[in-house]
Amino acid sequence: MSELSPIVLWVAGGLLLVAGRRLYWLFVGVAGFVVGFLLAERLGLPGPDWAGLLAALLLGALAAMLAVFFQKVAVGAVGFLGGAALALVVGDTLAWGLSGWIWLVALVCGVVGAVLTRALFELSLVLLSSLAGASLVVQGAGWTDPEATVALLLLAGAGILVQLVSGRGRRRRKG
């Protein structure tokens, strides 16, 4: 994600950290954008640089629209895209070096994310959006290991806490 502005990464990551559960359509859109952008970058698609960015934007917009109109179906999609995006972003951030196998890791993480999301929608949405948000913020900051790992864990933990605490008050008011 070297060509994306750190500010874009920070804003998207920050929104996912604190509001990923409440704005789940945004999480789906951001996850779709990240997957589209990273796959276009990795596959080295021919054409101008803006074509990959446009493809990523279209995938993100399509994913967000599906989240609004087809929520039940989108629950599986958000898990899949979140898991795949998480694998790609964390793989880049921590420099796993799985270049030939990253598609398989993204696929497996996507399937695991989809299964978790269907079984535990609200909790998995909090976990995946917090981890994805933390990954985007860390990548935008340009940190490397070991700072990247520590920051990723601290930010994800803070995002999980914020989202769980903010949802508790809303459930009390409803009940």
Side-chain angles (χ1 to χ4, degrees), residues 21-175:
R21 177 179 50 157
R22 284 183 300 195
L23 302 174
Y24 105 98
W25 59 268
L26 175 68
F27 175 51
V28 176
V30 169
F33 173 81
V34 169
V35 168
F37 187 84
L38 291 176
L39 285 177
E41 187 179 76
R42 279 189 182 56
L43 295 174
L45 299 176
D49 289 340
W50 59 264
L53 186 59
L54 179 63
L57 285 170
L58 289 174
L59 182 59
L62 176 64
M65 286 189 305
L66 285 173
V68 171
F69 294 114
F70 302 106
Q71 184 174 352
K72 299 252 183 221
V73 174
V75 169
V78 73
F80 183 83
L81 290 173
L86 182 64
L88 293 168
V89 171
V90 170
D92 280 350
T93 303
L94 302 180
W96 286 342
L98 299 171
S99 58
W101 294 96
I102 194 66
W103 67 270
L104 181 61
V105 172
L107 179 67
V108 168
C109 288
V111 170
V112 169
V115 169
L116 280 174
T117 304
R118 295 287 294 161
L120 304 164
F121 177 63
E122 192 167 312
L123 181 59
S124 63
L125 190 56
V126 168
L127 295 174
L128 287 171
S129 65
S130 294
L131 285 167
S135 295
L136 291 174
V137 170
V138 167
Q139 188 128 24
W143 291 320
T144 57
D145 265 342
E147 295 87 12
T149 302
V150 172
L152 182 82
L153 294 173
L154 289 175
L155 286 169
I160 290 166
L161 184 63
V162 165
Q163 289 189 59
L164 289 177
V165 168
S166 70
R168 185 182 301 158
R170 208 172 56 217
R171 272 184 246 124
R172 248 190 245 133
R173 284 189 296 261
K174 283 183 181 177

